[in-house]
Amino acid sequence: MAANLYLTEVAPFAFIKDSKDGKTIYDGINVRIVNELRRRSAVPIEVQVVPSSRHVAMFPADKEAYSISQAENFTDLDGVILSEVTQYPIIVVAQRGVNLRNFDDLIALSAEKGIGMMRRLSYGTFGQDERVKKVEINNLENGLRMLEAGRISGLVGSQPAILAAAERNASMQLLGPSLVIAYGSHVMRVRPEFATSSTSKVLSANLLAMKNDGSIARILDEFFKYTRSGLQPAK
Protein backbone atom coordinates (compact mmCIF):
# COMPACT_ATOMS: atom_id res chain seq x y z
CA MET A 1 0.00 0.00 0.00
CA ALA A 2 1.34 3.43 -0.95
CA ALA A 3 2.29 5.92 1.76
CA ASN A 4 1.28 9.54 1.37
CA LEU A 5 4.02 12.13 0.85
CA TYR A 6 2.80 15.68 1.35
CA LEU A 7 4.12 18.73 -0.51
CA THR A 8 2.99 22.32 -0.03
CA GLU A 9 1.43 23.86 -3.12
CA VAL A 10 3.69 26.88 -3.49
CA ALA A 11 5.86 27.84 -6.46
CA PRO A 12 8.56 27.01 -7.31
CA PHE A 13 8.48 23.91 -5.08
CA ALA A 14 5.15 22.36 -6.10
CA PHE A 15 2.51 23.95 -8.32
CA ILE A 16 -0.16 23.11 -10.89
CA LYS A 17 1.39 22.89 -14.34
CA ASP A 18 -1.60 21.69 -16.32
CA SER A 19 -4.91 19.89 -16.11
CA LYS A 20 -5.87 17.24 -18.64
CA ASP A 21 -8.85 14.92 -18.76
CA GLY A 22 -9.80 15.88 -15.23
CA LYS A 23 -6.32 15.07 -13.91
CA THR A 24 -4.12 17.74 -12.34
CA ILE A 25 -0.47 17.73 -13.41
CA TYR A 26 2.04 19.17 -10.93
CA ASP A 27 5.58 20.39 -11.41
CA GLY A 28 8.19 22.05 -9.22
CA ILE A 29 11.49 21.39 -7.49
CA ASN A 30 10.12 19.09 -4.81
CA VAL A 31 7.82 17.31 -7.26
CA ARG A 32 10.79 16.44 -9.48
CA ILE A 33 12.90 15.35 -6.51
CA VAL A 34 10.12 13.07 -5.26
CA ASN A 35 9.58 11.61 -8.74
CA GLU A 36 13.27 10.70 -8.93
CA LEU A 37 13.26 9.37 -5.36
CA ARG A 38 10.27 7.17 -6.13
CA ARG A 39 11.92 5.87 -9.31
CA ARG A 40 15.17 4.99 -7.54
CA SER A 41 13.76 3.55 -4.35
CA ALA A 42 10.83 1.66 -5.91
CA VAL A 43 8.87 2.65 -2.80
CA PRO A 44 5.17 3.24 -3.56
CA ILE A 45 4.64 6.92 -2.70
CA GLU A 46 1.38 8.76 -3.29
CA VAL A 47 2.19 12.45 -3.72
CA GLN A 48 -0.30 14.83 -2.13
CA VAL A 49 0.18 18.46 -3.19
CA VAL A 50 -1.95 20.60 -0.88
CA PRO A 51 -2.13 24.21 0.37
CA SER A 52 0.07 25.01 3.37
CA SER A 53 -2.83 25.08 5.85
CA ARG A 54 -3.89 21.57 4.81
CA HIS A 55 -0.29 20.30 4.80
CA VAL A 56 0.28 21.26 8.44
CA ALA A 57 -2.99 19.59 9.42
CA MET A 58 -3.00 16.47 7.24
CA PHE A 59 0.58 15.26 7.71
CA PRO A 60 0.47 15.01 11.55
CA ALA A 61 -2.95 13.33 11.31
CA ASP A 62 -1.75 10.65 8.87
CA LYS A 63 -0.35 7.57 10.61
CA GLU A 64 2.22 6.50 8.01
CA ALA A 65 3.13 9.54 6.00
CA TYR A 66 6.06 11.59 4.76
CA SER A 67 6.50 15.29 4.10
CA ILE A 68 8.93 17.55 2.28
CA SER A 69 8.66 21.16 3.41
CA GLN A 70 10.51 23.90 5.20
CA ALA A 71 12.17 22.55 8.34
CA GLU A 72 10.23 25.03 10.49
CA ASN A 73 6.82 23.83 9.35
CA PHE A 74 6.79 20.95 11.82
CA THR A 75 8.32 19.85 15.11
CA ASP A 76 9.95 16.48 15.79
CA LEU A 77 6.71 15.46 17.50
CA ASP A 78 4.90 15.93 14.18
CA GLY A 79 7.55 14.23 12.08
CA VAL A 80 11.14 13.09 12.51
CA ILE A 81 13.62 14.54 9.99
CA LEU A 82 15.06 11.84 7.75
CA SER A 83 17.26 14.12 5.67
CA GLU A 84 17.82 17.67 4.49
CA VAL A 85 16.74 17.90 0.87
CA THR A 86 17.73 21.41 -0.27
CA GLN A 87 18.82 24.71 1.23
CA TYR A 88 18.03 28.24 0.08
CA PRO A 89 18.87 31.79 1.18
CA ILE A 90 16.24 33.56 3.26
CA ILE A 91 16.03 37.17 2.15
CA VAL A 92 14.31 40.40 3.08
CA VAL A 93 13.36 42.35 -0.02
CA ALA A 94 12.35 46.00 -0.19
CA GLN A 95 11.05 48.32 -2.88
CA ARG A 96 13.39 49.89 -5.40
CA GLY A 97 15.37 52.87 -4.17
CA VAL A 98 15.45 51.74 -0.54
CA ASN A 99 18.77 51.59 1.30
CA LEU A 100 19.27 48.01 2.51
CA ARG A 101 22.96 47.18 2.87
CA ASN A 102 23.12 45.58 6.32
CA PHE A 103 21.04 44.51 9.31
CA ASP A 104 21.06 48.00 10.84
CA ASP A 105 19.42 49.26 7.64
CA LEU A 106 16.84 46.49 7.98
CA ILE A 107 16.00 47.48 11.57
CA ALA A 108 15.55 51.09 10.49
CA LEU A 109 13.44 50.05 7.47
CA SER A 110 11.15 47.88 9.60
CA ALA A 111 10.43 50.75 12.00
CA GLU A 112 8.36 52.45 9.29
CA LYS A 113 5.61 49.91 8.49
CA GLY A 114 7.10 46.56 9.42
CA ILE A 115 8.43 43.54 7.54
CA GLY A 116 5.85 41.11 6.15
CA MET A 117 6.36 37.62 7.57
CA MET A 118 4.54 34.33 6.99
CA ARG A 119 2.68 32.70 9.86
CA ARG A 120 4.39 29.87 11.79
CA LEU A 121 7.83 30.56 10.28
CA SER A 122 10.66 32.08 12.30
CA TYR A 123 13.54 32.10 9.77
CA GLY A 124 16.21 31.25 12.32
CA THR A 125 16.52 33.93 14.99
CA PHE A 126 14.83 36.57 12.81
CA GLY A 127 11.35 35.84 14.14
CA GLN A 128 12.43 36.43 17.75
CA ASP A 129 14.49 39.56 17.06
CA GLU A 130 12.46 42.30 18.73
CA ARG A 131 14.51 45.03 17.04
CA VAL A 132 12.70 44.21 13.80
CA LYS A 133 9.04 45.19 13.57
CA LYS A 134 7.02 42.49 11.82
CA VAL A 135 3.59 42.23 10.21
CA GLU A 136 1.92 38.83 9.75
CA ILE A 137 0.94 37.93 6.17
CA ASN A 138 -1.05 35.00 4.76
CA ASN A 139 1.19 34.27 1.76
CA LEU A 140 3.96 35.82 -0.28
CA GLU A 141 1.69 36.94 -3.12
CA ASN A 142 -0.39 38.92 -0.63
CA GLY A 143 2.81 40.24 0.96
CA LEU A 144 4.03 41.53 -2.38
CA ARG A 145 0.73 43.30 -2.98
CA MET A 146 1.06 44.91 0.47
CA LEU A 147 4.64 45.95 -0.35
CA GLU A 148 3.54 47.46 -3.65
CA ALA A 149 0.73 49.37 -1.91
CA GLY A 150 3.16 50.70 0.71
CA ARG A 151 1.43 48.89 3.59
CA ILE A 152 4.68 47.16 4.63
CA SER A 153 8.30 48.21 4.26
CA GLY A 154 9.76 44.84 3.31
CA LEU A 155 9.03 41.14 2.88
CA VAL A 156 10.88 38.08 4.17
CA GLY A 157 10.89 34.60 2.64
CA SER A 158 13.03 32.10 0.79
CA GLN A 159 14.61 33.57 -2.33
CA PRO A 160 13.02 31.08 -4.76
CA ALA A 161 9.53 31.54 -3.30
CA ILE A 162 9.69 35.35 -3.32
CA LEU A 163 10.86 35.48 -6.93
CA ALA A 164 8.25 32.93 -8.01
CA ALA A 165 5.53 34.94 -6.25
CA ALA A 166 6.77 38.12 -7.96
CA GLU A 167 6.53 36.40 -11.35
CA ARG A 168 3.00 35.23 -10.58
CA ASN A 169 2.04 38.76 -9.49
CA ALA A 170 3.79 40.32 -12.50
CA SER A 171 5.64 42.52 -10.01
CA MET A 172 9.29 41.66 -10.67
CA GLN A 173 9.88 45.34 -11.46
CA LEU A 174 8.81 46.21 -7.90
CA LEU A 175 11.62 44.29 -6.22
CA GLY A 176 14.54 46.39 -5.08
CA PRO A 177 17.49 45.58 -2.81
CA SER A 178 17.50 42.38 -0.78
CA LEU A 179 19.45 41.20 2.25
CA VAL A 180 20.26 37.57 3.09
CA ILE A 181 19.40 37.03 6.77
CA ALA A 182 19.62 33.22 7.07
CA TYR A 183 19.53 29.95 5.16
CA GLY A 184 16.47 27.74 5.28
CA SER A 185 16.20 24.02 4.60
CA HIS A 186 13.57 21.86 3.00
CA VAL A 187 13.63 18.50 4.77
CA MET A 188 11.97 15.13 4.47
CA ARG A 189 10.06 14.13 7.59
CA VAL A 190 8.24 10.95 8.54
CA ARG A 191 5.62 10.36 11.21
CA PRO A 192 7.61 9.46 14.39
CA GLU A 193 6.29 5.92 14.77
CA PHE A 194 7.69 5.04 11.33
CA ALA A 195 11.08 6.73 11.67
CA THR A 196 12.92 3.39 11.99
CA SER A 197 10.83 1.46 9.48
CA SER A 198 12.47 -0.25 6.52
CA THR A 199 10.63 2.10 4.13
CA SER A 200 12.00 5.17 5.89
CA LYS A 201 15.52 3.75 5.78
CA VAL A 202 15.24 3.04 2.06
CA LEU A 203 13.93 6.53 1.29
CA SER A 204 16.56 8.18 3.47
CA ALA A 205 19.40 6.18 1.89
CA ASN A 206 18.23 6.97 -1.64
CA LEU A 207 17.77 10.66 -0.86
CA LEU A 208 21.30 10.80 0.55
CA ALA A 209 22.61 9.05 -2.57
CA MET A 210 20.80 11.61 -4.75
CA LYS A 211 22.53 14.43 -2.89
CA ASN A 212 25.95 12.76 -3.00
CA ASP A 213 25.90 11.88 -6.69
CA GLY A 214 24.69 15.33 -7.74
CA SER A 215 21.20 14.29 -8.82
CA ILE A 216 19.46 16.93 -6.69
CA ALA A 217 21.87 19.60 -7.93
CA ARG A 218 21.09 18.59 -11.52
CA ILE A 219 17.34 18.78 -10.86
CA LEU A 220 17.79 22.29 -9.47
CA ASP A 221 20.00 23.40 -12.36
CA GLU A 222 17.55 22.05 -14.94
CA PHE A 223 14.58 23.68 -13.22
CA PHE A 224 16.15 27.12 -12.75
CA LYS A 225 17.64 27.14 -16.24
CA TYR A 226 14.22 27.92 -17.65
CA THR A 227 13.07 30.56 -15.16
CA ARG A 228 13.16 34.19 -16.21
CA SER A 229 14.59 35.32 -12.90
CA GLY A 230 18.00 33.68 -13.38
CA LEU A 231 17.70 32.47 -9.79
CA GLN A 232 20.36 30.16 -8.44
CA PRO A 233 19.86 28.11 -5.26
CA ALA A 234 22.33 28.21 -2.41
CA LYS A 235 22.81 24.43 -2.30
Side-chain angles (χ1 to χ4, degrees):
M1 183 177 178
N4 287 324
L5 191 155
Y6 294 94
L7 302 176
T8 297
E9 186 181 348
V10 58
F13 306 110
F15 55 89
I16 295 174
K17 181 180 180 180
D18 201 355
S19 183
K20 294 181 179 179
D21 301 324
K23 183 179 180 181
T24 302
I25 300 171
Y26 291 97
D27 195 10
I29 298 165
N30 289 341
V31 172
R32 296 185 185 190
I33 289 172
V34 171
N35 287 341
E36 177 63 12
L37 177 62
R38 180 167 46 195
R39 186 190 69 79
R40 287 190 180 212
S41 67
V43 171
I45 300 171
E46 188 68 36
V47 176
Q48 304 288 342
V49 180
V50 294
S52 179
S53 59
R54 292 184 62 197
H55 190 157
V56 298
M58 295 173 71
F59 170 60
D62 197 332
K63 185 179 179 182
E64 182 178 4
Y66 298 83
S67 164
I68 292 180
S69 67
Q70 293 187 71
E72 296 175 305
N73 278 359
F74 299 103
T75 69
D76 289 342
L77 294 177
D78 299 317
V80 175
I81 294 176
L82 289 179
S83 175
E84 181 183 81
V85 180
T86 47
Q87 188 182 93
Y88 304 97
I90 303 300
I91 64 172
V92 173
V93 65
Q95 287 191 1
R96 291 187 181 277
V98 170
N99 190 36
L100 188 58
R101 297 168 300 179
N102 52 49
F103 206 80
D104 286 339
D105 288 342
L106 173 58
I107 294 171
L109 177 68
S110 75
E112 298 176 21
K113 297 177 182 177
I115 305 299
M117 183 169 167
M118 290 277 287
R119 296 172 182 171
R120 298 185 316 277
L121 302 179
S122 60
Y123 303 114
T125 59
F126 181 80
Q128 290 75 45
D129 194 325
E130 296 181 353
R131 297 172 299 170
V132 180
K133 179 182 176 183
K134 306 172 189 73
V135 176
E136 191 175 88
I137 61 173
N138 294 324
N139 54 59
L140 293 177
E141 285 85 356
N142 183 51
L144 285 168
R145 286 190 287 270
M146 292 172 67
L147 183 63
E148 187 171 15
R151 293 168 56 194
I152 56 176
S153 301
L155 180 66
V156 62
S158 74
Q159 185 190 45
I162 284 181
L163 292 180
E167 287 195 0
R168 289 169 73 101
N169 278 17
S171 57
M172 289 293 288
Q173 77 288 345
L174 166 73
L175 301 184
S178 64
L179 181 71
V180 176
I181 60 167
Y183 286 86
S185 298
H186 278 218
V187 298
M188 174 175 274
R189 290 185 183 268
V190 63
R191 294 290 295 132
E193 52 267 45
F194 286 89
T196 60
S197 69
S198 58
T199 299
S200 293
K201 290 177 180 178
V202 168
L203 290 175
S204 181
N206 277 273
L207 196 54
L208 180 60
M210 286 171 61
K211 292 190 70 174
N212 290 341
D213 68 17
S215 294
I216 289 180
R218 286 191 290 274
I219 289 171
L220 291 170
D221 288 342
E222 181 179 346
F223 184 87
F224 287 125
K225 187 189 307 180
Y226 299 105
T227 63
R228 294 191 299 275
S229 63
L231 171 67
Q232 290 297 321
K235 291 184 180 179

